C-alpha cells in the first residue's frame, strides 16, 4: 500500500492536483494511508469520514430520500459523496468516494460489495463532474482485510485517473 501511496503522491505533485476524500466503509483508512507519505499535505486536503447516513446528509448534502431509496451503499450515493466532498472543499479539484457493506450484518447480496467514485472540478469553469464509477465485490471475508482491499481499490482508481491525464 505504501508504494501506491507514494506513486499517487508523486502524480498529485506532478499534476499540481489537490485531493479530497469521502470515506464510509474504509473509515478513513485511505487518508491515513496517504498521510504516511511525507509532504502529502500539499495535495491532500482531507477526508470526510461519513460513516452514518445522518453524517452523509449533514456533511455532504445527500438528501435523506436518496439514502432511503438507494441505500448508503449504492452508485447514486457514491456519486453524491464525491461531488459533495468537492463542493465542501473549494481548494480541491479531485475527489474520491467509497462506500459499501463490509459485514457481518450485510444482506447476503450486498455483503462485500463496495462502490468507488471519482469526481473532478473543471479548471476553467469550476463545474464538477463524475469521471469514474466502479462497483466491486471484495474477495476478503473479514472486516479489516476488506477495509484494506477497499482502500487499495480507491488508490488504484486514483492512480489510473492521474496516469490517464498525463
Amino acid at each position: 500500500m505504501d508504494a501506491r501511496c507514494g506513486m499517487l503522491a508523486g502524480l498529485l505533485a506532478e499534476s499540481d492536483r489537490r485531493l479530497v476524500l469521502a470515506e464510509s466503509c474504509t473509515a478513513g483508512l485511505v487518508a491515513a494511508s496517504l498521510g504516511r507519505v511525507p509532504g502529502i499535505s500539499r495535495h491532500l486536503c482531507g477526508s470526510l469520514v461519513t460513516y452514518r447516513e445522518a453524517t452523509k446528509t449533514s456533511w455532504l448534502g445527500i438528501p435523506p430520500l436518496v439514502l432511503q431509496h438507494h441505500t448508503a451503499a449504492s452508485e447514486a450515493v457514491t456519486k453524491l459523496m464525491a461531488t459533495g466532498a468537492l463542493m465542501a472543499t473549494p481548494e480541491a479539484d479531485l475527489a474520491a468516494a467509497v462506500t459499501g457493506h463490509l459485514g457481518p450484518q450485510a444482506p447476503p447480496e450486498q455483503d462485500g460489495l463496495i462502490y468507488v467514485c471519482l469526481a473532478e472540478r473543471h479548471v476553467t469553469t469550476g463545474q464538477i463532474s463524475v469521471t469514474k464509477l466502479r462497483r466491486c465485490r471484495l474477495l476478503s471475508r473479514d472486516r479489516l482485510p476488506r477495509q484494506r482491499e477497499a482502500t487499495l481499490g480507491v488508490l488504484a482508481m486514483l492512480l489510473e485517473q492521474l496516469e490517464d491525464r498525463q
Side-chain angles (χ1 to χ4, degrees):
M1 198 171 327
D2 288 343
R4 288 185 187 186
C5 290
M7 288 172 51
L8 180 57
L11 287 170
L12 287 167
E14 285 175 28
S15 61
D16 195 30
R17 306 290 300 273
R18 289 192 188 96
L19 171 67
V20 65
L21 303 164
E23 300 182 66
S24 186
C25 63
T26 54
L29 188 56
V30 179
S33 299
L34 285 169
R36 297 175 66 180
V37 177
I40 193 65
S41 62
R42 288 189 293 271
H43 301 284
L44 177 62
C45 298
S47 180
L48 299 133
V49 180
T50 56
Y51 214 67
R52 297 178 49 85
E53 289 185 6
T55 311
K56 286 175 178 66
T57 296
S58 63
W59 291 7
L60 298 172
I62 299 174
L65 287 176
V66 172
L67 289 160
Q68 286 175 350
H69 186 264
H70 294 282
T71 78
S74 64
E75 287 184 12
V77 169
T78 313
K79 287 179 184 179
L80 291 172
M81 288 174 64
T83 57
L86 275 178
M87 286 189 272
T89 315
E91 68 175 326
D93 49 28
L94 176 63
V98 59
T99 188
H101 284 292
L102 300 186
Q105 287 99 16
E109 66 278 0
Q110 294 180 332
D111 189 33
L113 184 63
I114 67 161
Y115 296 88
V116 181
C117 181
L118 303 184
E120 291 187 68
R121 185 186 323 273
H122 192 272
V123 177
T124 55
T125 66
Q127 288 191 308
I128 294 171
S129 61
V130 169
T131 55
K132 289 187 187 293
L133 178 66
R134 216 168 267 160
R135 176 182 183 222
C136 306
R137 178 77 59 185
L138 301 175
L139 301 175
S140 307
R141 301 300 306 158
D142 296 321
R143 191 170 188 79
L144 185 56
R146 281 182 170 181
Q147 282 183 321
R148 288 182 181 137
E149 190 178 342
T151 296
L152 287 170
V154 174
L155 294 171
M157 265 183 78
L158 283 164
L159 285 167
E160 179 183 299
Q161 178 83 1
L162 291 169
E163 287 168 348
D164 287 350
R165 298 283 193 249
Q166 283 194 333

